Amino acid sequence: MSSGDTAGPGTTISADSAPTPILARPSGLRRRGDDSRHRALLRYLSVRLLLIPVTAWILVTVVFFLMRVVGDPISAAMGGRMTQEQIEARKEAAGLNRPILTQYGGYLSGLLHGDLGRSQDNREISEVVVTYGAASLELVCWALVVAFAIGVPLGRYAATHRDSAADTTLRLLAILFYAAPVFFVGLLLKLVFAVRLGWLPVAGRASTNVELRLQHVSPKTNIMVIDAILYGDTGYLIDVLKHAVLPAIALGLLTAGIFLRLVRINLIQTLRADYVDAARARGLSRRVVTGRHAFRNAMIPIVTVMGMQIAMMLGASVLTETTFEWKGLGYQFAQYLSARDFIAVQGIVAFIALIVAVMSFLVDVVVALIDPRVRF
């Protein structure tokens, strides 16, 4: 048999060499390609993970020195209520008479050990975060439900009815949602649905008797809807849900406006893509093309901005919780700020900075998994 003869599919015989499989190289290329993608993903996530402590450190540092610009926290909180000797004694006990850089080093050391400091009423800030942070988490989750339920469907409808009267109306509505101050929206909702119509409660996380009963549930999560479920009373659960409606709408509309515009813009761009035209050419219906092909890709930017939206919600929750007397971390933050308890304010901001940094990392992970383009 000559060098050009073949001996069956998949191998080639030559006079100078042994049989060599033709498909060996493509398989190796695929393995190298998979390894390259895995390394790129690992490198991308490693960089994002390293940014968590850096981001938290920058935010904590800025807040620490800004709090010191207005003077020491003891004088700011107790000035006029204590004698100068008493204030100096407290400053000495708290270490506020030390050089500013020494205080900063001690503060960072405490943070690394989980010590967020103590408030002026001698409460551990970590205890305050655990007690009231669950309430803020509950409110943000309800607000996200409202934002998705309103913003995403309306954004999809506006994109599929581009330049129509409905599209114009929805775009104006999105701007209104985003621009309206959250406390004004909250007050308006209270006046209409609580005071005038009497459909929903004015304020609070639950009625007084319900809240007192739920204090004794075990295990207590401080998330009212979960505590009501654990208690096992349907009436209590309905009461808790009714109290959550207005605060969730007030906070959720802010993000719903952003989601509406993002979904509309990205869906319009996606509907112009070549693969969407190819799907139409295969005879697929408009509903299938929009739902299965275009809409999923248009949702990627929503996931991308989710971390920033959660950060914005945590900031806006201060106004929402104050408006509705929703006793969460934002409400407590406002109380400490009003009392000029800057150590407590500093501790709460440090905790929120960590939460925002971690959430941003989780969003980056999700985006990297659903959109390979961001890894390279």
Side-chain angles (χ1 to χ4, degrees):
M1 204 179 275
S2 68
S3 62
D5 292 336
T6 61
T11 58
T12 302
I13 302 298
S14 72
D16 302 319
S17 62
T20 303
I22 291 174
L23 297 178
R25 263 185 290 179
S27 177
L29 288 174
R30 282 197 299 272
R31 284 196 297 271
R32 287 195 294 272
D34 291 340
D35 291 343
S36 176
R37 285 193 292 271
H38 292 156
R39 285 196 298 269
L41 177 60
L42 183 61
R43 184 170 58 251
Y44 173 82
L45 295 180
S46 299
V47 172
R48 294 305 184 275
L49 185 61
L50 290 174
L51 287 176
I52 293 179
V54 174
T55 303
W57 170 72
I58 291 174
L59 291 173
V60 165
T61 300
V62 170
V63 171
F64 178 88
F65 286 104
L66 283 178
M67 291 292 99
R68 296 307 186 273
V69 168
V70 296
D72 69 89
I74 304 295
S75 299
M78 298 299 178
R81 291 186 289 171
M82 286 186 173
T83 63
Q84 189 61 36
E85 290 76 13
Q86 291 173 318
I87 291 177
E88 290 298 327
R90 282 211 174 191
K91 288 168 62 177
E92 185 67 33
L96 296 175
N97 287 331
R98 297 178 297 171
I100 186 69
L101 292 180
T102 305
Q103 295 180 43
Y104 175 65
Y107 178 63
L108 288 183
S109 176
L111 288 181
L112 291 176
H113 292 85
D115 182 12
L116 297 175
R118 283 183 173 272
S119 63
Q120 294 295 344
D121 54 3
N122 205 32
R123 293 184 66 184
E124 288 280 355
I125 303 303
S126 55
E127 177 190 338
V128 172
V129 165
V130 171
T131 303
Y132 294 98
S136 294
L137 174 64
E138 182 180 9
L139 177 58
V140 168
C141 288
W142 287 125
L144 282 174
V145 171
V146 171
F148 274 108
I150 294 177
V152 174
L154 292 183
R156 177 172 175 170
Y157 185 86
T160 54
H161 296 76
R162 185 185 177 190
D163 295 331
S164 65
D167 178 33
T168 303
T169 303
L170 290 174
R171 279 187 288 169
L172 292 174
L173 199 62
I175 295 173
L176 182 62
F177 286 165
Y178 182 74
V182 66
F183 68 88
F184 173 76
V185 175
L187 290 173
L188 194 62
L189 291 172
K190 287 173 67 172
L191 287 173
V192 175
F193 295 101
V195 177
R196 190 173 186 85
L197 298 176
W199 292 352
L200 296 167
V202 175
R205 298 179 64 198
S207 300
T208 304
N209 63 318
V210 174
E211 196 164 353
L212 290 174
R213 293 290 182 89
L214 294 183
Q215 293 295 325
H216 305 290
V217 71
S218 181
K220 185 171 175 57
T221 65
N222 291 314
I223 298 177
M224 200 69 75
V225 66
I226 296 179
D227 290 343
I229 292 173
L230 292 175
Y231 195 88
D233 191 308
T234 306
Y236 288 0
L237 178 59
I238 293 174
D239 180 81
V240 169
L241 292 175
K242 288 172 67 176
H243 279 78
V245 171
L246 294 184
I249 292 175
L251 185 57
L253 286 178
L254 179 70
T255 305
I258 298 173
F259 285 178
L260 196 161
R261 292 179 63 85
L262 277 176
V263 171
R264 177 188 177 275
I265 292 170
N266 286 281
L267 186 53
I268 287 174
Q269 292 177 346
T270 306
L271 288 171
R272 297 172 178 170
D274 292 339
Y275 70 90
V276 174
D277 292 335
R280 291 196 187 102
R282 291 199 303 269
L284 298 178
S285 66
R286 179 180 177 181
R287 181 178 60 84
V288 172
V289 170
T290 302
R292 292 186 183 178
H293 297 274
F295 183 66
R296 291 181 182 180
N297 286 336
M299 284 298 293
I300 292 176
I302 298 293
V303 179
T304 305
V305 302
M306 182 60 65
M308 292 304 298
Q309 294 312 308
I310 291 176
M312 186 175 66
M313 280 187 169
L314 287 171
S317 68
V318 176
L319 297 174
T320 307
E321 291 177 11
T322 304
T323 302
F324 290 96
E325 297 180 26
W326 184 281
K327 294 183 179 179
L329 200 58
Y331 178 86
Q332 199 64 25
F333 179 86
Q335 298 299 311
Y336 284 135
L337 197 60
S338 177
R340 302 174 69 84
D341 191 341
F342 294 154
I343 294 179
V345 169
Q346 187 175 273
I348 292 175
V349 170
F351 173 75
I352 293 177
L354 180 62
I355 292 297
V356 171
V358 171
M359 288 303 301
S360 297
F361 170 73
L362 294 178
V363 169
D364 288 338
V365 172
V366 174
V367 172
L369 293 175
I370 65 178
D371 188 1
R373 294 173 298 178
V374 303
R375 308 171 197 166
F376 301 99

